[in-house]
Amino acid sequence: MGWDIDNEGNSNRGEPLPVGVHDVEIIKAVKGKDTKAGDRQVLVVFSDDEGREAAYFAPIEGPARFKAAQLMKGLGYTTAMIEEARFQPDHLTIEAVAKQWLVGNRCRIEVTKKPDRDFLDVRVLPAATPRTSQSACASSKARPLPADADVPF
């Protein structure tokens, strides 16, 4: 990472989300730094309509891999939908795939803070209703073609 002299040390991050339940949008999803145990994980950044943010680390392997499943369930994806797409957890470490499946999608999260910790805990809440297969990738700009469409390949 290079110097940012004009920014004088200020980050691009927004104000943190306060403790509570929030409706948020995923604004960033990238391969995160491996856990201390060496498990790969995805870093997801949530933002509310006021620009306040919270980070969520979702390991895709190891004992905490349930967090990646929790994220997908919170976005309304079902096991059947994910299996039909042949989507695997490690696909989330591919930036373009993470953007397609995650970025731009909305969900609800709960932010908590334990008194003995300096950081916030984020939990993705289950979606109220599952997605339909046509809306599996809400952030994707692709639209389904009509059955009689003339495809040039």
Side-chain angles (χ1 to χ4, degrees), residues 58-113:
I60 60 167
E61 55 194 12
R65 68 182 178 271
F66 71 89
K67 293 184 87 177
Q70 187 181 67
L71 173 64
M72 298 304 278
K73 186 175 183 178
L75 294 172
Y77 293 111
T78 64
T79 301
M81 191 181 305
I82 291 170
E83 287 176 352
E84 181 181 327
R86 297 184 179 167
F87 190 76
Q88 297 296 317
D90 62 333
H91 292 159
L92 289 174
T93 63
I94 303 167
E95 191 170 339
V97 175
K99 283 183 180 179
Q100 180 182 4
W101 280 75
L102 303 177
V103 176
N105 286 299
R106 297 191 69 86
C107 62
R108 290 174 56 85
I109 62 171
E110 180 180 28
V111 178
T112 57
K113 178 154 183 357

Side-chain angles (χ1 to χ4, degrees), residues 2 26 50 58 92:
I26 296 176
E50 297 175 34
L92 289 174

Side-chain angles (χ1 to χ4, degrees), residues 22-40:
H22 304 277
D23 289 311
V24 293
E25 177 180 341
I26 296 176
I27 60 169
K28 184 177 184 177
V30 296
K31 184 181 183 308
K33 185 178 176 182
D34 290 352
T35 66
K36 289 179 185 176
D39 298 328
R40 294 174 299 157

Side-chain angles (χ1 to χ4, degrees), residues 104-140:
N105 286 299
R106 297 191 69 86
C107 62
R108 290 174 56 85
I109 62 171
E110 180 180 28
V111 178
T112 57
K113 178 154 183 357
K114 295 181 180 170
D116 60 332
R117 294 189 177 171
D118 293 334
F119 56 89
L120 298 172
D121 288 316
V122 176
R123 182 172 67 98
V124 180
L125 302 174
T129 57
R131 294 173 179 265
T132 63
S133 59
Q134 276 87 18
S135 66
C137 298
S139 64
S140 173

